């Protein structure tokens, strides 16, 4: 992430009551302000973290692709690969204003499954989008030399 980066905030809680007391939005905001980045909007949801295919995360990622439009409805899909393919389809509007990535307090906001988290990180890296984690204080995807090197190796013969 760089100063001027436009990001979508995302956080997840396990109980509905926590949605209103969760301090993640303030944490995301102050971190980004410190780094000179901005949060265009924030998505949240009540969910367990083991299933990555879910509506709030879908909305956050769609807003990353176009911050102008309301995200289209999430198609009924179970497979991560299909879901990611749908996510990457560009917005149907002619004035899509993409953001540069998403920001979370911790990778566990996205998924509690490490293998799934690694795939997601690489997918964002391939898309050239930041996945900023406050826990690591940096982007884990496109600005991460290890993720970039891994992708290069897996794409090139
Ligand atoms: Zn759009
Ligand atoms: Zn990055």
């Amino acid at each position: 992430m760089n100063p001027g980066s436009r990001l979508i905030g995302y956080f997840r809680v396990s109980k509905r009551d926590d949605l209103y007391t969760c301090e993640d939005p303030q944490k995301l905001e102050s971190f980004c302000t410190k780094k000179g980045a901005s949060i265009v909007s924030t998505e949240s949801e009540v969910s367990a973290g083991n299933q990555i295919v879910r509506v709030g995360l879908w909305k956050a990622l769609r807003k990353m692709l176009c911050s102008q439009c309301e995200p289209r409805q999430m198609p009924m899909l179970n497979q991560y690969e299909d879901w990611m393919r749908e996510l990457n389809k560009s917005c149907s509007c002619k004035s899509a204003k993409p953001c540069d990535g998403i920001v979370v307090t911790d990778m566990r906001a996205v998924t509690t499954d490490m293998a799934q988290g690694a795939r997601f990180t690489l997918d964002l890296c391939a898309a050239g989008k930041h996945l900023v984690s406050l826990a690591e204080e940096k982007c884990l995807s496109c600005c991460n030399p290890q993720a970039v090197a891994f992708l290069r190796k897996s794409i090139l013969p």
Side-chain angles (χ1 to χ4, degrees):
M1 76 192 289
N2 329 92
S5 287
R6 297 168 69 250
L7 304 170
I8 301 293
Y10 172 80
F11 68 98
R12 176 182 66 79
V13 292
S14 35
K15 289 188 307 231
R16 180 152 295 277
D17 288 352
D18 298 340
L19 212 48
Y20 310 100
T21 53
C22 182
E23 288 173 350
D24 282 16
Q26 293 90 309
K27 287 183 193 161
L28 298 177
E29 194 67 57
S30 64
F31 178 84
C32 288
T33 305
K34 205 170 70 190
K35 298 282 183 186
S38 61
I39 296 184
V40 176
S41 75
T42 299
E43 287 294 328
S44 63
E45 71 189 319
V46 184
S47 171
N50 54 350
Q51 174 57 270
I52 198 165
V53 175
R54 46 178 207 268
V55 172
L57 191 56
W58 165 272
K59 282 189 187 161
L61 293 166
R62 287 301 303 179
K63 280 195 174 171
M64 180 178 80
L65 289 178
C66 180
S67 56
Q68 300 290 91
C69 305
E70 260 314 294
R72 71 184 167 92
Q73 213 183 344
M74 184 173 101
M76 298 285 268
L77 295 166
N78 291 316
Q79 293 298 322
Y80 171 77
E81 295 79 10
D82 302 336
W83 186 72
M84 202 25 105
R85 199 176 311 121
E86 284 299 315
L87 266 175
N88 278 321
K89 287 185 180 165
S90 49
C91 189
S92 53
C93 76
K94 297 221 161 50
S95 54
K97 237 187 156 190
C99 293
D100 306 309
I102 69 168
V103 57
V104 294
T105 51
D106 192 281
M107 239 345 247
R108 278 173 300 184
V110 176
T111 176
T112 49
D113 181 321
M114 293 243 315
Q116 207 169 48
R119 281 196 58 192
F120 181 80
T121 305
L122 288 174
D123 281 336
L124 255 66
C125 182
K129 299 289 185 185
H130 302 302
L131 171 55
V132 179
S133 163
L134 267 56
E136 281 86 3
E137 297 206 336
K138 62 182 179 197
C139 166
L140 305 175
S141 56
C142 58
C143 309
N144 173 1
Q146 272 171 305
V148 174
F150 184 89
L151 267 186
R152 261 199 209 118
K153 241 189 291 171
S154 56
I155 291 168
L156 298 174

